[in-house]
């Protein structure tokens, strides 16, 4: 007998934290799902893996693993956890072996020119450009607060090369954000097609999960329903 999956782990990306998942998490919980919002610190790829795998372990059963942006890089490796049964990428890096977020951005550059490195080996988005380049379709005050509370990403996290992509042997879903200025939408389409992901497109900024929470939750629930597990 097979059952749909009822556990969902949500993973944030660079410059954001887990609070952006609030609307999606509320919809999923209302629909009967058990939700965990992982909080990888973005201090190194290894640390981000550790925190995400801990969230998967804590679920104690089959999981749909969801990543936004750099969170896609995280779930591409963390998705090899035996409890992960499906991967959902939201405007995210579905990296292949030997690729990094940096290599994808260099191959087909994003529209934004506001990414800046500091002397501590951390990357930030210039606050003056954050709303327009990262979160153009959510309320301005929310975007401006995200700008001042942004989580910088380490150079190690951004340049780490993936070694064993989970999407090569697990079913995947992908949401392309057509107005994305942080990852080129053509690269999103390329990564989705390569992963043979069931793909939807939304007219959204990079934070598609915040501006389109219903569509995001719907895609996650579709993954949960189709990645059945034996009981």
């Amino acid at each position: 007998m097979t059952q749909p999956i009822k556990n969902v782990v949500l993973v944030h990306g660079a410059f954001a934290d887990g609070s952006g998942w609030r609307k999606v998490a509320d919809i999923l919980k209302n629909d009967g799902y058990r939700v965990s919002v992982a909080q990888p610190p973005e201090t190194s790829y290894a640390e981000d893996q550790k925190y995400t795998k801990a969230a998967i372990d804590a679920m104690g059963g089959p999981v749909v693993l969801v990543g936004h942006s750099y969170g896609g890089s995280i779930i591409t490796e963390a998705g090899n956890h035996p409890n992960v049964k499906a991967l959902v990428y939201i405007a995210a890096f579905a990296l292949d072996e030997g690729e990094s977020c940096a290599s994808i951005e260099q191959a087909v550059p994003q529209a934004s020119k506001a990414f800046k490195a500091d002397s501590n080996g951390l990357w930030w988005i210039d606050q003056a450009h954050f709303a327009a380049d990262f979160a153009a379709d959510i309320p301005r005050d929310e975007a401006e607060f995200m700008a001042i509370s942004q989580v910088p990403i380490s150079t190690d996290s951004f340049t780490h090369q993936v070694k064993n992509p989970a999407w090569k042997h697990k079913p995947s879903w992908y949401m392309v954000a057509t107005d994305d200025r942080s990852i080129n939408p053509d690269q999103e389409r390329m990564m989705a097609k390569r992963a043979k992901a069931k793909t939807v497109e939304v007219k959204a900024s990079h934070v598609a999960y915040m501006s389109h929470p219903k569509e995001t939750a719907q895609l996650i629930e579709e993954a949960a329903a189709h990645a059945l597990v034996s009981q």
Side-chain angles (χ1 to χ4, degrees), residues 146-203:
M146 287 182 76
I148 64 171
S149 64
Q150 65 181 283
V151 182
I153 183 171
S154 67
T155 298
D156 176 78
S157 297
F158 191 60
T159 60
H160 181 91
Q161 294 181 353
V162 160
K163 294 182 174 58
N164 182 18
W167 53 258
K168 291 197 171 178
H169 50 91
K170 295 189 180 184
S172 301
W173 282 256
Y174 199 108
M175 178 179 282
V176 173
T178 62
D179 292 344
D180 200 328
R181 292 178 58 81
S182 294
I183 303 176
N184 192 300
D186 287 339
Q187 287 293 68
E188 294 180 11
R189 295 183 183 104
M190 178 278 289
M191 291 184 284
K193 182 177 180 181
R194 185 174 65 184
K196 298 181 172 61
K198 169 71 187 298
T199 304
V200 298
E201 296 202 2
V202 294
K203 185 174 173 55

Side-chain angles (χ1 to χ4, degrees), residues 9-221:
V9 174
L10 304 171
V11 183
H12 67 77
F15 314 115
D17 63 25
S19 63
W21 286 112
R22 178 67 186 269
K23 289 179 182 176
V24 172
D26 285 348
I27 295 169
L28 292 171
K29 287 193 296 178
N30 191 56
D31 290 345
Y33 292 85
R34 186 163 162 255
V35 180
S36 174
V37 179
Q39 292 278 28
E42 301 177 25
T43 49
S44 72
Y45 193 77
E47 283 291 290
D48 296 340
Q49 289 292 310
K50 183 176 86 170
Y51 279 81
T52 302
K53 288 175 182 174
I56 297 166
D57 281 338
M59 283 300 203
V63 165
V64 174
L65 185 60
V66 185
H68 169 250
S69 188
Y70 164 66
S73 174
I74 297 173
I75 73 167
T76 294
E77 290 272 16
N80 291 306
H81 191 294
N83 285 356
V84 174
K85 304 303 179 185
L87 303 166
V88 182
Y89 292 90
I90 308 297
F93 291 101
L95 301 176
D96 203 351
E97 184 180 352
E99 288 180 344
S100 66
C101 301
S103 70
I104 289 290
E105 296 280 42
Q106 287 159 1
V108 183
Q110 75 279 15
S112 175
K113 300 289 187 280
F115 297 96
K116 300 283 191 297
D118 67 13
S119 60
N120 299 304
L122 300 171
W123 289 79
W124 304 76
I125 297 177
D126 184 349
Q127 288 186 18
H129 297 280
F130 191 99
D133 284 1
F134 194 81
D137 56 350
I138 63 171
R140 182 83 189 188
D141 61 337
E142 281 186 53
E144 289 178 348
F145 185 75
M146 287 182 76
I148 64 171
S149 64
Q150 65 181 283
V151 182
I153 183 171
S154 67
T155 298
D156 176 78
S157 297
F158 191 60
T159 60
H160 181 91
Q161 294 181 353
V162 160
K163 294 182 174 58
N164 182 18
W167 53 258
K168 291 197 171 178
H169 50 91
K170 295 189 180 184
S172 301
W173 282 256
Y174 199 108
M175 178 179 282
V176 173
T178 62
D179 292 344
D180 200 328
R181 292 178 58 81
S182 294
I183 303 176
N184 192 300
D186 287 339
Q187 287 293 68
E188 294 180 11
R189 295 183 183 104
M190 178 278 289
M191 291 184 284
K193 182 177 180 181
R194 185 174 65 184
K196 298 181 172 61
K198 169 71 187 298
T199 304
V200 298
E201 296 202 2
V202 294
K203 185 174 173 55
S205 75
H206 189 53
V207 292
Y209 65 108
M210 295 178 72
S211 62
H212 292 71
K214 289 180 182 175
E215 293 90 338
T216 302
Q218 184 178 1
L219 191 66
I220 294 166
E221 292 185 10

